[in-house]
Amino acid sequence: MAPPDHTDSGSPAYLAGLLLRGRDVLVAGAGAVAERRLERLLEVGANVRVVAPDATAWVAGRAEEGALVWHRRPVAESDVDGAWYVIAATDSPEVNAAVAAAAEARHTFCVRCDDARHGSAWTPASYNVADMTVAVIGNRSPQRSKAVRDAIHRAMEEPR
Ligand SMILES: C[C@@]1(CC(=O)O)c2cc3[nH]c(cc4nc(cc5[nH]c(cc(n2)[C@H]1CCC(=O)O)[C@@](C)(CC(=O)O)[C@@H]5CCC(=O)O)C(CC(=O)O)=C4CCC(=O)O)c(CCC(=O)O)c3CC(=O)O
Ligand SMILES: NC(=O)C1=CN([C@@H]2O[C@H](COP(=O)(O)OP(=O)(O)OC[C@H]3O[C@@H](n4cnc5c(N)ncnc54)[C@H](O)[C@@H]3O)[C@@H](O)[C@H]2O)C=CC1
């Protein structure tokens, strides 16, 4: 089910703060995009399973030290079983579509990195400081969200 393209106010995404500590998260694909999202998932303590034939050196390193589990093979629909949250970040639109469909069938939120409208969650541009996270989300406008996030970051650092 595709989200609406726009609303009368704000992003079409409903922002929620997911508490993923100790919860199972599936990341399909282990390239640059997956890596960017994995950093934060590990910071918040999610139990991450990565499924991908190849991974970046950073992902392989985190797997080696036990920070996440890396299954070195193509993803299967059954990998979605048990996950609270899914990121479909392979470089194959067909594979991402199959992962997103498996997540939809299980009522599990899924970010589809190649075709956001056919996923059920989006990743904000974020910034973390002490016990505070700033997250900005637009309407498939990551560059604009990044710019707003950076502006907020600068404002937070200005002396009062
Ligand atoms: C909708 C969303 C869904 C989601 O993936 O979660 C989405 C979708 C898509 N992004 C695409 C492209 C790029 N996205 C980035 C970067 C970021 N993308 C992020 C979020 C989101 N991206 C979600 C909500 C965004 C919003 O607020 O509106 C950020 C903020 C967060 C993060 O990724 O961690 C992060 C900045 C992180 C930071 O710097 O902190 C770059 C690189 C860059 O900018 O450096 C590029 C390549 C250059 C370009 O095209 O701009 C494509 C086309 C893919 C294709 O070609 O196949 C799609 C697909 C589509 O729109 O359907
Ligand atoms: N949403 C966003 O912010 C952005 C999204 N993209 C999209 O994300 C996709 C991925 O980008 P990158 O990480 O740069 O690609 P990449 O080429 O660096 O990595 C692709 C990953 O997918 C894995 N993979 C391939 N087939 C698979 C399968 N059957 N099962 C499991 N894993 C499989 C590969 O092993 C590899 O780890 C791009 O093709 C593009 O469509 C690109 C830039 C930003």
Side-chain angles (χ1 to χ4, degrees), residues 11-13 32-38 40 85 87-91 93 96 110-118 121-127 136-147 149-150:
S11 165
V33 174
E35 177 176 317
R36 192 163 70 219
R37 279 105 194 261
L38 277 164
R40 185 63 185 157
Y85 190 66
I87 297 194
T90 80
D91 55 1
N96 290 340
C110 176
V111 177
R112 190 171 158 189
C113 294
D114 61 316
D115 184 1
R117 273 179 295 195
H118 291 97
W122 292 350
T123 315
S126 64
Y127 167 70
V136 178
I137 197 140
N139 187 2
R140 293 180 297 118
S141 51
Q143 303 303 339
R144 186 167 173 232
S145 298
K146 270 172 75 170
R149 183 269 321 272
D150 291 344

